[in-house]
Amino acid sequence: MSKAVRARLRALAGRTRRARKDAGMVTSEYAMGIVAAVAFAVILYQVVTSGTVAEELQALVKRALSAQT
């Protein structure tokens, strides 16, 4: 086998080893993204279901339905 072929094989093997090291990192990033999305959804739900916001939304819908065209 020539030196160029050996060097190329070593480079490919090294790249494969590096890729395997980072494999678990992607899963943890997805998990953190899901936790952040759920936290944001809970906060948004609490804001929308609060008394003041619910009244304002109901008033907005009533005005839109009673608008004359």
Side-chain angles (χ1 to χ4, degrees):
M1 211 182 310
S2 71
K3 289 181 184 181
V5 172
R6 279 191 218 127
R8 182 73 177 144
L9 286 174
R10 268 188 258 126
L12 288 172
R15 200 178 307 160
T16 303
R17 279 188 221 111
R18 283 191 297 274
R20 283 189 205 137
K21 272 187 196 176
D22 294 341
M25 210 185 240
V26 174
T27 303
S28 65
E29 289 170 356
Y30 283 126
M32 292 305 294
I34 290 171
V35 168
V38 168
F40 180 74
V42 167
I43 292 169
L44 185 61
Y45 177 77
Q46 289 178 345
V47 168
V48 170
T49 57
S50 69
T52 306
V53 175
E55 290 172 12
E56 290 295 322
L57 288 173
Q58 286 177 353
L60 181 69
V61 170
K62 284 180 185 177
R63 278 188 300 221
L65 292 176
S66 65
Q68 297 176 354
T69 56

